[in-house]
Amino acid sequence: MAGIESILSETRIFPPSESFKKNANVSGMEAYQALCDEAARDYEGFWAKHARESMLWHKPFTQVLDERDAPFYKWFYDGELNVSYNCLDKHLQTQPNKTAIIFEADDGKVSHVSYQQLHQRVCQFANGLKAINIQHGDRVIIYMPMSVEAVVAMQACARIGAIHSVVFGGFSAKSLHERVIDAGAKAIITADEGLRGGKAVRLKDAVDEALNLGGCDTLEKVIVYKRSGNTVHWDAARDMWWSEITQGQADTCEPAWVNAEHPLFILYTSGSTGKPKGVQHASGGYLLGAILSMKWVFDYKPTDVYWCTADVGWITGHTYVAYGPLAMGATMLMFEGIPTYPHPGRFWELIQKHKVTTFYTAPTAIRSLIKLGSDLPKQYDLSSLRLLGTVGEPINPEAWMWYHEVVGQQRCPIVDTWWQTETGCNMISPLPGAVPTKPGSCTLPLPGIQADIVDEHGGPVEKGQGGFLVIKRPFPSQLRTLWGDPERFKKT
């Protein structure tokens, strides 16, 4: 391990402001430490308590963690719940008219969808899926532009116990083909076209090309959402319009109560070698991770307007667009376009227009926005912002400082989140009302996450030394296996 050196010598530290700390969900280092100590004292009891308090269970669990068949861990495995019920029905009594999604299209057109309306749309689409024989456990590929419909499709699959696999709309027909075959998908949900930066992305053409490559024997239906209205090739035996399958469907749909370990989704990550790996996440543990990280890392407040810029095709768009914010009852912004169209200030304009309070984006986006100059954000009113976040690759200290000074105007904490597709939710990140932040550092593990840096023999290294980052105990939101490849999962 002698070869790993720290090239980051950073001494600037930013403690949370007293005003942020005072109102934070986890206020001060003592509160953070108390949560960590509670998890250390009674690991299973800690997670069980949060699972009972944070989620609605149809059948309460009595077993917490089953480690007998490691690494195939099971959490809350004798309990039953439904993820869509926890994201939508939960709010119908308390805030049916609250805006769930503010959607801004590429061309600037804005629509608002309330929790009541979102619930109705999800139920209608779920009933439509059932009408074409999509059943509990069937796999459905979602290949969509950033849209309310993408969230509706994901939530509808969760509602009926079908397993979705979202494929990023920028991926090629060949990538789509591989995933359809590996998942054994019964249906694809797509759009005629997506619109990004004023250009059309021909999604239905890519679906047709993928299916023409052959071997997709399990596939029965392609459901097409009419986004642009431009002409597309049509196979009357296989293709259906979104409006066709929802027409006349009831706007209520009894959720399928599934075991906590029932797969919620498969998300493919391209391995360094060979075919993509289908990371499989379970319903109960994954949802718990999404909820707790919204509460702890994003310090969620009912008045927030939350904007995660990630596409639903990535894990970030699953946890912090399609599931986490809705499970909290949040209002979130979804944006179809790109940061620089039709002008380079589009992101800042969106924050000003929709009074965004929490802004979560990637260092790559931040660095590209830095190149456009510091004067640009200053032309917009960013005073609604109270919390900033970064996700993806590590953020370099210079970009962190620009984000802090120019976007956050030196008053917004930055949560620099470390996690992976495999972990399901944030693992290491400052809790903004407790942990002092440092440019370029993701700081400390979330309560209950036992992280360490070890040498090649598994022994902990001294402070200031390099090594492997490990998580020492299983945790609820982690992947359960690689779809159809338990041996590869075990080996890696």
Side-chain angles (χ1 to χ4, degrees), residues 129-327:
L129 290 177
K130 289 201 289 191
I132 58 163
N133 199 31
I134 303 294
Q135 299 172 4
H136 180 278
D138 285 343
R139 274 81 62 210
V140 176
I141 297 277
I142 297 173
Y143 185 60
M144 297 279 282
M146 270 303 270
S147 56
V148 176
E149 284 70 23
V151 172
V152 168
M154 293 165 82
Q155 288 279 346
C157 288
R159 194 161 193 91
I160 63 173
I163 303 164
H164 65 68
S165 185
V166 184
V167 178
F168 172 55
F171 278 0
S172 67
K174 184 177 179 299
S175 301
L176 184 61
H177 176 252
E178 285 173 341
R179 287 156 174 77
V180 170
I181 291 177
D182 191 73
K186 199 168 179 178
I188 297 175
I189 302 168
T190 189
D192 49 3
E193 294 182 323
L195 295 169
R196 272 176 73 81
K199 297 186 178 75
V201 182
R202 293 192 59 82
L203 296 168
K204 175 64 165 61
D205 285 2
V207 170
D208 293 336
E209 192 186 326
L211 298 180
N212 289 338
L213 292 170
C216 304
D217 306 332
T218 54
L219 195 95
E220 295 174 9
K221 292 290 177 195
V222 175
I223 299 158
V224 187
Y225 163 58
K226 194 176 279 191
R227 172 64 188 95
S228 69
N230 287 335
T231 319
V232 288
H233 168 77
W234 204 254
D235 175 343
R238 182 196 71 199
D239 300 344
M240 300 180 76
W241 290 110
W242 178 292
S243 55
E244 252 182 282
I245 86 155
T246 54
Q247 198 174 9
Q249 293 295 350
D251 59 10
T252 58
C253 172
E254 179 66 16
W257 302 109
V258 299
N259 184 280
E261 280 298 308
H262 175 71
L264 176 63
F265 63 85
I266 305 161
L267 186 55
Y268 285 90
T269 69
S270 44
S272 47
T273 55
K275 65 174 191 163
K277 309 188 293 282
V279 166
Q280 180 185 316
H281 277 289
S283 300
Y286 169 79
L287 185 65
L288 180 60
I291 289 171
L292 291 178
S293 51
M294 282 294 300
K295 202 179 285 183
W296 292 340
V297 176
F298 295 104
D299 190 52
Y300 169 72
K301 301 281 185 283
T303 49
D304 279 333
V305 176
Y306 178 89
W307 184 21
C308 167
T309 67
D311 190 280
V312 288
W314 311 114
I315 187 67
T316 307
H318 282 55
T319 310
Y320 300 111
V321 178
Y323 291 112
L326 296 175

Side-chain angles (χ1 to χ4, degrees), residues 16 20-21 23-33 35 295-297 299 301 431-435 447:
F20 196 99
K21 194 166 140 183
N23 299 308
N25 294 338
V26 179
S27 175
M29 280 304 283
E30 282 175 6
Y32 164 76
Q33 200 52 56
L35 282 166
K295 202 179 285 183
W296 292 340
V297 176
D299 190 52
K301 301 281 185 283
L431 304 197
V435 179

Side-chain angles (χ1 to χ4, degrees), residues 360-371:
Y360 190 37
T361 195
T364 316
I366 294 164
R367 284 191 287 268
S368 65
L369 292 162
I370 290 173
K371 286 180 189 150

